[in-house]
Amino acid sequence: MLRSTFAGFTTAQLSMASSQRALDVVGQNIANINTPGYTRQRLDIASLNTKKGDFYNANSSIKVGFGVEMTGVSQLRDPFLDIQYRSQIAKVGTSDAHAAGYEQLATIFDEATLDGVRDAFRSITSSLQSFSSESGSDEFDSMVRSNMQVLLNLLRDDSIRLQDIRNDMQTGFASADIADVNEIIQNIANLNKNIKNSQILGNPALELQDERNSLLDELSSYLPITTNYREQTVGPGYTVEVLDVVFTDANGKKYKLISDGLYGSLDAEVRELPVTVNISDVMGNTSDVTNLLGNGTLKGTLDILNKSGDFDNTDVKGLGYYEKALDNLVDTFAKAFNEANKALKTDANGKVVEPHEWEDRPLFETKDGSTDFTAQNIKIADKWLSGEYRITKSIIPIDGQIGSTASDNINNMIDLMGKDHSFVVSTTVNGTAKTTTFFTGSFYDCFAELENVLGIDAKSAETMLSNQIIVLNQTSNSRDAISGVSLDEEGMNLLHYNQSYNAAARLMTTLDEALDKLINGTGVVGR
């Protein structure tokens, strides 16, 4: 078969067109070098050969293609790096939520530069010592009571602030975090529809895909997700790519959050403890995934809200740990002093009743009448406040009476402030009663230990967050090396495609000269 006379011009024209379009793509990349989330684009080309084989073939029949075909414009992305990045950003989300929670707690328990609970314990000890040396004066009883009231006010304020942190976190979790996740899921599903419609019309919608990828990265920071791209037939011999987004819980169960244009949602219940999260997939199936999130900001926030560390056999000392520990400190303190202030019963003449009988003269009571003291329900006993009785100075009878100036019981209270106490929290874990001794020492040291535990937890979370951010940045840099726009590389592409265009133009000129010679320079012999 003879080659078409003008086939070479078609080859040159296609080459010039592809080089020109490639320059357009390079220009698009350069124009968007500072656009957040933009993915570098490239022109996809393939060798074009529309010539069929001859019925009779021979070695002298040399087949040559007809130039180049532009098959589309695509993005340069590495799916494996996307998976790595989204897995790592979920871990960063967990540590970031932990660090943020501990940072809020530090405003309560960090008394390095404040006169707070620890200073109040010291003041009580000091006033008791003064009372011991001047036990004949009831003025010092009022001083001790005033210092006790200061301590209760500080402890109550700490407990209220803990509750405020919990309320703020719960409100933010439901109205911000969960709402943001649902909005992102809906936006991705809408983008799926728009991308699909654009692809059906022949537009790859790369900018919409960039926007979708940015939303997928953002969604990954809240909870661990995986993406699945599949081909969907939309007409005879024509398919488009659609996206499914799947959440896999800690037990390996999969929930399809987004499928093409369909989408599920998350819902949080924050009115009672523990705070719970339910997930509804695209089929409408709902499951409780509170303890199955694996990683992400949602998990980190739930850890702070729901977990109590050693008290409930969990791995995070959240708000519950500090609430229970603070209440137990108050309960141990109040019961120890109420027990210490018991007095021997006396008759109308002030004589000690024989045999010895004890009467309760509590220094502290609960506002709600319960038997356990908490930082918010404790108060100074009404009878001590009204002066019906005072601190029991002595419990040693002298000549049948309690000595008016003896101070053995006050000294006992001073010893109570410095002696070791066991601080034990009782909880129920999975229906089983559990008691945990979280500290043994003085009241002052117990509160100091809460500061130390918080400091260790906060430092650990910050270190973990810092390390994970380093890994995330490394993965991001690797991804940007492929997907990001490099001026050096695009500059080389400009030169490359410009030279390619010039060469194709030179090919057309050469073909023109050959055709001119064929038409005007042949067939003139003998004229």
Side-chain angles (χ1 to χ4, degrees), residues 305-527:
L305 285 172
N306 291 344
K307 294 185 177 180
S308 301
D310 298 336
F311 301 154
D312 58 1
N313 296 334
T314 54
D315 57 340
V316 176
K317 294 182 178 69
L319 280 167
Y321 178 88
Y322 295 94
E323 290 169 339
K324 291 179 176 65
L326 186 66
D327 285 341
N328 183 257
L329 169 60
V330 172
D331 186 68
T332 304
F333 175 81
K335 289 179 178 178
F337 271 85
N338 281 353
E339 180 67 23
N341 204 54
K342 284 184 176 180
L344 290 171
K345 284 187 177 181
T346 58
D347 57 21
N349 298 320
K351 290 285 187 179
V352 175
V353 175
E354 296 289 347
H356 293 168
E357 294 183 29
W358 296 90
E359 64 175 340
D360 291 328
R361 299 172 65 180
L363 300 180
F364 304 103
E365 296 173 341
T366 59
K367 297 177 181 178
D368 54 9
S370 62
T371 58
D372 293 325
F373 292 90
T374 68
Q376 292 196 41
N377 74 8
I378 190 173
K379 68 173 185 175
I380 299 293
D382 292 336
K383 291 183 179 180
W384 185 28
L385 190 63
S386 65
E388 185 172 333
Y389 57 75
R390 301 183 186 279
I391 289 178
T392 302
K393 302 172 187 177
S394 175
I395 57 174
I396 301 175
I398 302 175
D399 297 330
Q401 292 185 329
I402 298 296
S404 61
T405 60
S407 57
D408 58 276
N409 198 51
I410 299 176
N411 292 332
N412 177 50
M413 291 183 177
I414 295 173
D415 292 338
L416 276 179
M417 294 299 296
K419 70 179 292 188
D420 288 349
H421 303 269
S422 293
F423 297 90
V424 182
V425 170
S426 299
T427 54
T428 300
V429 181
N430 298 325
T432 303
K434 180 179 186 294
T435 58
T436 304
T437 302
F438 68 93
F439 184 71
T440 300
S442 68
F443 303 118
Y444 176 96
D445 291 338
C446 180
F447 190 85
E449 176 65 12
L450 292 180
E451 292 184 72
N452 294 335
V453 170
L454 177 59
I456 293 171
D457 286 344
K459 182 63 176 177
S460 176
E462 290 172 2
T463 301
M464 184 72 72
L465 177 61
S466 177
N467 292 338
Q468 289 173 347
I469 287 177
I470 291 174
V471 176
L472 179 67
N473 289 336
Q474 291 174 345
T475 306
S476 178
N477 291 338
S478 298
R479 191 169 71 159
D480 289 343
I482 296 174
S483 302
V485 178
S486 168
L487 280 181
D488 292 338
E489 189 170 350
E490 298 303 328
M492 293 174 61
N493 287 337
L494 284 175
L495 295 176
H496 171 75
Y497 292 123
N498 183 53
Q499 291 177 348
S500 176
Y501 186 90
N502 291 338
R506 182 61 184 165
L507 171 61
M508 184 169 287
T509 301
T510 302
L511 291 172
D512 181 64
E513 292 174 354
L515 186 62
D516 178 70
K517 187 65 176 177
L518 176 65
I519 295 175
N520 298 313
T522 59
V524 296
V525 178
R527 290 184 183 179

Side-chain angles (χ1 to χ4, degrees), residues 106-127:
T107 61
I108 298 175
F109 291 99
D110 186 0
E111 294 187 349
T113 59
L114 300 173
D115 292 334
V117 173
R118 290 189 297 171
D119 187 67
F121 279 126
R122 285 194 293 262
S123 297
I124 290 172
T125 301
S126 178
S127 60

Side-chain angles (χ1 to χ4, degrees), residues 41-220:
Q41 300 177 4
R42 70 176 178 189
L43 179 67
D44 297 326
I45 56 177
S47 177
L48 178 64
N49 191 336
T50 60
K51 185 177 180 180
K52 296 181 179 179
D54 294 335
F55 185 78
Y56 295 102
N57 193 16
N59 291 334
S60 61
S61 180
I62 306 301
K63 304 297 188 296
V64 179
F66 283 82
V68 64
E69 179 184 14
M70 293 178 285
T71 59
V73 179
S74 61
Q75 296 177 323
L76 290 172
R77 296 189 72 91
D78 187 336
F80 176 71
L81 289 176
D82 282 339
I83 293 172
Q84 277 191 322
Y85 181 86
R86 289 164 186 165
S87 174
Q88 188 61 33
I89 202 173
K91 297 177 183 178
V92 170
T94 303
S95 296
D96 185 49
H98 288 170
Y102 292 136
E103 184 178 357
Q104 293 188 68
L105 288 172
T107 61
I108 298 175
F109 291 99
D110 186 0
E111 294 187 349
T113 59
L114 300 173
D115 292 334
V117 173
R118 290 189 297 171
D119 187 67
F121 279 126
R122 285 194 293 262
S123 297
I124 290 172
T125 301
S126 178
S127 60
L128 284 170
Q129 290 170 342
S130 299
F131 193 15
S132 176
S133 61
E134 298 289 343
S135 58
S137 174
D138 289 336
E139 176 184 350
F140 290 95
D141 180 274
S142 299
M143 183 184 299
V144 173
R145 187 173 64 246
S146 297
N147 287 326
M148 290 287 193
Q149 185 64 63
V150 170
L151 174 65
L152 300 191
N153 291 342
L154 291 170
L155 292 169
R156 183 178 300 111
D157 181 64
D158 286 349
S159 180
I160 291 173
R161 290 164 67 190
L162 277 172
Q163 186 62 48
D164 289 341
I165 290 175
R166 178 178 290 280
N167 292 339
D168 291 344
M169 289 186 68
Q170 290 181 173
T171 301
F173 184 76
S175 62
D177 292 346
I178 295 295
D180 286 347
V181 169
N182 287 333
E183 183 178 3
I184 293 171
I185 291 173
Q186 183 177 356
N187 288 340
I188 292 174
N190 291 335
L191 282 171
N192 279 350
K193 292 180 182 178
N194 294 335
I195 291 171
K196 179 180 177 180
N197 292 336
S198 295
Q199 290 177 344
I200 291 174
L201 297 175
N203 180 4
L206 301 182
E207 285 70 26
L208 292 179
Q209 291 186 42
D210 284 339
E211 185 178 350
R212 183 176 66 182
N213 283 322
S214 295
L215 289 175
L216 288 171
D217 290 345
E218 188 177 354
L219 181 60
S220 297

Side-chain angles (χ1 to χ4, degrees), residues 196 199-200 231-242 260:
K196 179 180 177 180
Q199 290 177 344
I200 291 174
E231 296 294 327
Q232 184 180 85
T233 301
V234 294
Y238 192 75
T239 62
V240 295
E241 187 180 70
V242 296
D260 196 2

